[in-house]
Amino acid sequence: MEIALLGNPNTGKTSLFNHLTGSYEYVGNWSGVTVEKKVGLFKNKRATLIDLPGIYTLNPLSKDEGVVTNYFLKEQLDQLLNILDASQLERNLHLTIQLLEYEKPLTIGLNMIDVAKNRGIHIDTNLLSHRLGVQVNPVIARSGKGCDALAESITTVKQCNTQKLLINYGKVIEDAIIELEEMLNGKQTPSIRWLTLQLLEGNPYVREYLHQWVKPEVLSNFVNGVSQQIISSEGIMTLEQFIYLKRKAVIQSILNDAVTYSEKEKTPFTEKVDKIVTNKFLGMPIFLLMMYLMFMLTFNWLGFPLSDALDSLISGPITEWTINLLTLVGATDFLYSLVVDGIIAGVGGVIVFVPQIFILFFFISLLEDSGYMARVALVMDRIMEHVGLNGKAFIPMMIGFGCNVPGIMAARTIETPKERLLTILLTPLMSCSARLPVYALFVGSFFVKQEALIVLSLYILGILVSLLLAKIFSKTLLSGETSLFVIELPPYRLPQGKALWRSTWDKGKNFVKKAGTFIFAGSVFIWLLSYAGPNGLNVNMDDSYLAAIGGVIAPLLQPIGFGSWQAGSALLTGFLAKEAIISTMNIIYFVPDEASLQGLLASTFTPLSAYSFMAFILLYIPCLATVATIYKETGSKKWTIFSCFYALIIAYVISLIIYHGGKLLGFT
Amino acid sequence: MLAQLKTGEKGIISNISKADALVRRRLLDLGITEGSEVCIKCIMPFGGPYMLEYCGQCVGIRRKEAIQIEVERL
């Protein structure tokens, strides 16, 4: 049995999903469209739960919301679970009514009754359940209270299909429902009542869906006919408004019965915090301070010592044991070199950065879960507006600091196609965590005293370049479209340790998984290229295939300061995954650990060329996984290719400026 | 109009039809329409967005939209 989980954004859907399904889940694709869906198995193993994006209504504005409508049109779903925010019942019920019109069994999880109580809102769940004609289970998704009872009732109690008619929309619309039913003539469709109401509300996905049976002109005439009748008889401006008001009236009457209000607490916690963090003068400095703290903790104060410790563990005992083991079993030179110079150097070099990357992901999860992220969008909107974007575009970019792939996917919440495309194109310029190891390596050998400052400057460089390009692109390639910015600012919530860990792990596990698979295979391959050459096996590295390949592009890199075959081949592998640059360098320079690699690097790079190299790595091309995501999300080969080429050009230009500008200023 | 209210002031929306259609739809999704009582929570500097409160929920909109929304000050 498949149960779909639906609710408004910020109602605690993810918490509920986690509590109901335990730790088991997988991510699959929707049929037809390559958009991720999260599926979990109920703890009692009786049903699966599908997590859908948060929506206000089934009539979509953004791509994210369109996913839900498509699901309702095209998939066979057995049952619905609707989560409501008890403190915002009125607007939540607008969605519930649309779900009820879909005429499938529905259960309600009434969340945040504690928050509602603090605001002086008391809900009689029995009465609410009676008025809506469905089961209502009170839950507190954050703590998990009531979740077991909800799971029990939704998976075991027999749900019936027939629900009472909640709203009578009047003769004109009720007749229209019958008329559409005749037009469809017994076709296999979701509830006709639901289809008709969505069509009349102007839902573009439903209209498109109906075109497979009804001619566009006929459908237009039908909608216009109903619309004219309503407008002339009711004296209302639009049909959409009429339907909205009908629903609103019914919701009001339900609320009058089921909800009582008492004196509310003085100033809610959220308002106190907002007085400070979205303060006119303090908002921006506080945001910058937060970023600085996040950065210093990830990079300097906490992450660095941890990575160092892991590095000495891998280069010390682990390498030693492996060598002993290999000697014990009498491994050949080939195998010995493969394991020590290939795998340990390649994979180990990447694994070392796991602590830093997890710390970064932890902070990003903290920002998301606490509700601060939406404030960042508000604080940044004015700046983003100047470059043709809106504040919401800043969220994908922040997520992009962790990994560009989820960052690009987060752009789905942006309503206007132009701003969404622009955000997708520019998010790869955000310095993702896989680029961090490269900086760490280089600042460790060249900028020991200003480590954090140099890395921070690269992050800022990425942001500045993306803002500049946003301005240019929105004036040239993508001019014309309007911009939209309306953002809900959810109340602050103290993130729960377990949920926080789970979302950190969800993000970070890909990095670990990639190190075990992609980087592992890549390391073996790169090592093989460095071990073999035109003259046979075990050649001098400078005569290997790797040197030959890297040597081809080395002359191109000469003008920007690092024209060695080593840099050339590292950049080539960096397209597969940015952290592969580190693996490649570890293998090329024959060293098992970071410290000795840093010593070697000092002989081939100068501080200036090292900075130019880092800037180039930051900008030069999105990694393979990101390119694939850009293609999936834009559905356009043209924009995917564009995203690679503009990045390459801008990286070359910036590195050229850094290198030659730096030389003119007297840096070496 | 909404943009004339100061931080902490309240007003009832009297006409929202001049605002951008998409913005209007989004605000309606959040329950904000003609007759809604809103309170200005803060205004970001340099002509930045306005943060409104309606029934305990906070919403951010741009100044250029706030100019288009007519309110009666309370």
Side-chain angles (χ1 to χ4, degrees), chain A residues 267 270-280 282, chain B residues 41:
Chain A
T267 315
T270 293
E271 283 188 29
K272 282 184 203 152
V273 179
D274 265 340
K275 279 222 169 84
I276 303 165
V277 303
T278 53
N279 179 283
K280 212 169 188 158
L282 294 176
Chain B
K41 282 286 154 191

Side-chain angles (χ1 to χ4, degrees), chain A residues 549-601:
Chain A
I549 298 167
V552 174
I553 59 164
L556 289 173
L557 302 172
Q558 194 63 51
I560 51 177
F562 41 89
S564 66
W565 69 262
Q566 286 93 338
S569 17
L571 288 176
L572 283 178
T573 57
F575 171 61
L576 302 176
K578 300 278 162 142
E579 62 265 47
I581 294 171
I582 285 294
S583 306
T584 311
M585 292 203 139
N586 266 348
I587 295 167
I588 289 175
Y589 292 106
F590 257 152
V591 284
D593 63 76
E594 221 186 293
S596 36
L597 176 55
Q598 286 173 342
L600 265 171
L601 279 176

Side-chain angles (χ1 to χ4, degrees), chain A residues 586-656:
Chain A
N586 266 348
I587 295 167
I588 289 175
Y589 292 106
F590 257 152
V591 284
D593 63 76
E594 221 186 293
S596 36
L597 176 55
Q598 286 173 342
L600 265 171
L601 279 176
S603 61
T604 43
F605 284 89
T606 65
L608 184 61
S609 69
Y611 193 80
S612 167
F613 187 67
M614 287 191 285
F616 196 77
I617 300 270
L618 164 72
L619 304 167
Y620 81 115
I621 205 164
C623 72
L624 194 60
T626 307
V627 172
T629 312
I630 294 174
Y631 181 62
K632 260 195 334 198
E633 295 291 310
T634 57
S636 150
K637 283 206 184 77
K638 188 186 99 186
W639 286 117
T640 311
I641 293 168
F642 177 76
S643 75
C644 297
F645 276 94
Y646 92 78
L648 212 51
I649 292 166
I650 201 81
Y652 202 85
V653 171
I654 299 265
S655 288
L656 206 62

Side-chain angles (χ1 to χ4, degrees), chain A residues 240-519:
Chain A
E240 197 184 343
Q241 201 182 8
F242 174 76
I243 295 174
Y244 179 83
L245 289 175
K246 277 279 176 197
R247 287 179 182 155
K248 190 175 172 155
V250 171
I251 291 170
Q252 284 298 349
S253 109
I254 294 174
L255 292 182
N256 284 343
D257 280 1
V259 183
T260 47
Y261 301 90
S262 65
E263 195 61 34
K264 66 173 183 177
E265 65 176 341
K266 286 286 173 280
T267 315
F269 170 69
T270 293
E271 283 188 29
K272 282 184 203 152
V273 179
D274 265 340
K275 279 222 169 84
I276 303 165
V277 303
T278 53
N279 179 283
K280 212 169 188 158
F281 306 104
L282 294 176
M284 189 62 86
I286 286 178
F287 169 61
L288 293 177
L289 183 71
M290 295 268 228
M291 293 307 292
Y292 179 75
L293 285 179
M294 170 171 129
F295 192 80
M296 289 305 273
L297 274 168
T298 306
F299 199 72
N300 238 1
W301 302 332
L302 191 61
F304 213 64
L306 284 175
S307 285
D308 255 2
L310 197 59
D311 186 37
S312 49
L313 183 74
I314 291 177
S315 62
I318 292 183
T319 311
E320 239 166 72
W321 293 333
T322 320
I323 291 175
N324 287 342
L325 192 74
L326 286 169
T327 326
L328 199 71
V329 299
T332 58
D333 278 354
F334 178 84
L335 190 65
Y336 179 87
S337 178
L338 168 67
V339 174
V340 177
D341 305 330
I343 295 169
I344 294 188
V347 179
V350 170
I351 289 289
V352 163
F353 296 98
V354 165
Q356 290 188 348
I357 281 160
F358 269 75
I359 294 170
L360 185 67
F361 281 134
F362 173 82
F363 281 107
I364 290 175
S365 304
L366 188 70
L367 290 181
E368 283 177 332
D369 290 3
S370 63
Y372 184 66
M373 206 69 123
R375 270 78 183 176
V376 173
L378 188 79
V379 171
M380 295 302 292
D381 181 64
R382 191 64 186 149
I383 293 174
M384 302 299 270
E385 194 183 0
H386 278 302
V387 299
L389 283 168
N390 74 51
K392 271 189 203 175
F394 209 73
I395 296 174
M397 291 184 171
M398 294 266 294
I399 295 173
F401 283 143
C403 175
N404 292 167
V405 171
I408 287 169
M409 293 198 293
R412 271 186 216 147
T413 55
I414 297 170
E415 288 91 348
T416 52
K418 169 203 153 187
E419 289 173 313
R420 179 162 174 260
L421 179 62
L422 212 48
T423 311
I424 291 174
L425 290 177
L426 296 174
T427 299
L429 298 179
M430 298 300 116
S431 182
C432 70
S433 58
R435 278 167 249 193
L436 197 63
V438 186
Y439 308 151
L441 180 73
F442 277 84
V443 294
S445 19
F446 298 101
F447 308 99
V448 183
K449 289 218 177 92
Q450 313 90 354
E451 271 175 355
L453 193 72
I454 291 287
V455 179
L456 187 64
S457 75
L458 287 161
Y459 277 76
I460 292 170
L461 178 69
I463 297 174
L464 289 180
V465 170
S466 72
L467 292 181
L468 183 73
L469 288 177
K471 181 86 183 165
I472 295 171
F473 290 167
S474 65
K475 281 269 184 277
T476 53
L477 295 168
L478 297 158
S479 58
E481 262 191 77
T482 52
S483 162
L484 163 71
F485 181 70
V486 176
I487 192 166
E488 187 191 348
L489 303 159
Y492 288 104
R493 278 163 196 145
L494 201 64
Q496 301 272 306
K498 212 173 138 195
L500 208 53
W501 163 244
R502 189 162 158 155
S503 89
T504 306
W505 172 245
D506 271 352
K507 296 186 181 89
K509 71 179 176 202
N510 284 327
F511 184 84
V512 178
K513 225 193 308 183
K514 210 160 59 166
T517 53
F518 206 65
I519 301 294

Side-chain angles (χ1 to χ4, degrees), chain A residues 94-110:
Chain A
H94 274 278
L95 178 64
T96 307
I97 285 183
Q98 295 180 48
L99 297 178
L100 285 170
E101 281 161 2
Y102 191 69
E103 293 172 326
K104 286 275 180 181
L106 180 122
T107 308
I108 286 175
L110 187 63

